[in-house]
Amino acid sequence: MSGFRVDVLTLFPEMFPGALGLSLAGEALKQGTWSLAAHDIRDHGLGKHRAVDDTPAGGGAGMVIRADVLAAAIDSIVDAEDTRPRLLMSPRGKPLTQDLVREFASGDGVVIICGRFEGVDERVIEGRNLTEVSIGDYILSGGEPAALVLLDAIVRLLPGVMGKVESGEDESFENGLLEYPHYTRPREWEGRSIPEILLSGDHKKIAEWRHAESERITREKRPDLVKK
Ligand code: SAH
């Protein structure tokens, strides 16, 4: 039993585990629920300067990560028996959703490639069967923060990571709706009180209220989710 295995290919291995070394994900890492190895793409760079990028064919701004260099980096950690998905963080990718996170979390692990500069040579995406994944419609300067987001979402779903099993089930998106509002002590705060029903002890009524609130909030904030 080796847990959920993650390999990350990056030009900045120091960015890992980063935020994932703390809190829930960090504890799970220490416990061996998951493992993380960050590999420097530059170890496979060319020449004295270990070059990993070059100018874009056809001209234009920026630099592109070379197919041969990135493929050598991938081949050094992935072999034919390795069935883990190979993910390339990319704004062109499949939008990351809770469904996709759940799919990844149910496997043995993932291999994540972080782009930089203008991106990577298209041929390595085809040649190494990479699945592009996007964390949203905006541009980051590199794939590393996107990889941290993806891994945070995956790791909290791994068996034993979240304290109470139920704490994941009510969550936004798990049932196609956004979550209902939360309250805790004090009962009165700056003239605002906790909705009476939550203090009633009537669990059936509370569940109904929460479901109605979920629907109302989803309609208000994310009408696009209601259509789905
Ligand atoms: N020229 C590219 C953007 C490159 S940004 C374009 O216009 O599509 C540099 C790197 O950051 C990318 O290779 C990718 O790995 C990462 N990145 C940027 N935005 C991202 C996003 N929304 N989701 C996932 N990765 C992203």
Side-chain angles (χ1 to χ4, degrees), residues 40-58:
D40 195 344
I41 297 169
R42 202 168 291 283
D43 291 344
H44 303 271
L46 306 172
K48 197 171 66 172
H49 298 293
R50 300 222 159 261
V52 296
D53 56 334
D54 212 325
T55 53

Side-chain angles (χ1 to χ4, degrees), residues 209-221:
W209 180 86
R210 284 180 167 164
H211 189 77
E213 283 294 286
S214 274
E215 287 186 339
R216 179 185 64 78
I217 288 169
T218 309
R219 242 181 285 118
E220 262 172 43
K221 296 185 197 274

Side-chain angles (χ1 to χ4, degrees), residues 11-224:
L11 287 167
F12 298 96
E14 311 85 338
M15 290 194 188
F16 297 88
L20 300 181
L22 302 164
S23 190
L24 277 183
E27 283 306 316
L29 193 54
K30 278 183 215 124
Q31 304 284 319
T33 308
W34 68 298
S35 64
L36 174 66
H39 309 271
D40 195 344
I41 297 169
R42 202 168 291 283
D43 291 344
H44 303 271
L46 306 172
K48 197 171 66 172
H49 298 293
R50 300 222 159 261
V52 296
D53 56 334
D54 212 325
T55 53
M63 299 293 273
V64 176
I65 299 183
R66 292 175 59 118
D68 49 357
V69 171
L70 186 53
I74 295 170
D75 296 345
S76 74
I77 51 166
V78 178
D79 60 23
E81 272 108 81
D82 198 332
T83 55
R84 293 175 295 168
R86 305 162 186 191
L87 311 177
L88 172 66
M89 303 320 297
S90 157
R92 298 194 315 202
K94 244 191 228 182
L96 185 62
T97 59
Q98 192 63 18
D99 282 341
L100 197 53
V101 169
R102 221 181 292 112
E103 185 186 316
F104 294 143
S106 68
D108 301 331
V110 287
V111 177
I112 302 178
I113 294 140
C114 302
R116 279 270 154 184
F117 321 121
E118 289 309 315
V120 309
D121 188 306
E122 190 71 21
R123 292 169 295 178
V124 76
I125 301 176
E126 301 158 11
R128 288 299 178 273
N129 200 11
L130 307 183
T131 302
E132 294 176 87
V133 175
S134 167
I135 65 160
D137 292 343
Y138 41 79
I139 304 295
L140 303 168
S141 52
E144 291 80 6
L148 292 170
V149 167
L150 170 62
L151 289 172
D152 182 295
I154 291 174
V155 168
R156 60 188 289 285
L157 295 186
L158 299 177
V161 173
M162 258 184 312
K164 274 202 197 139
V165 178
E166 317 95 71
S167 68
E169 288 170 0
D170 270 5
E171 221 83 64
S172 291
F173 306 116
E174 288 291 355
N175 57 4
L177 294 172
L178 301 178
E179 207 181 35
Y180 50 79
H182 296 292
Y183 300 88
T184 185
R185 279 179 272 274
R187 194 168 172 152
E188 286 277 328
W189 175 76
E190 295 193 351
R192 295 161 197 270
S193 32
I194 294 175
E196 208 53 52
I197 189 138
L198 297 178
L199 307 169
S200 68
D202 185 335
H203 297 296
K204 185 160 169 281
K205 282 248 168 62
I206 291 172
E208 282 166 8
W209 180 86
R210 284 180 167 164
H211 189 77
E213 283 294 286
S214 274
E215 287 186 339
R216 179 185 64 78
I217 288 169
T218 309
R219 242 181 285 118
E220 262 172 43
K221 296 185 197 274
R222 291 291 303 278
D224 59 304

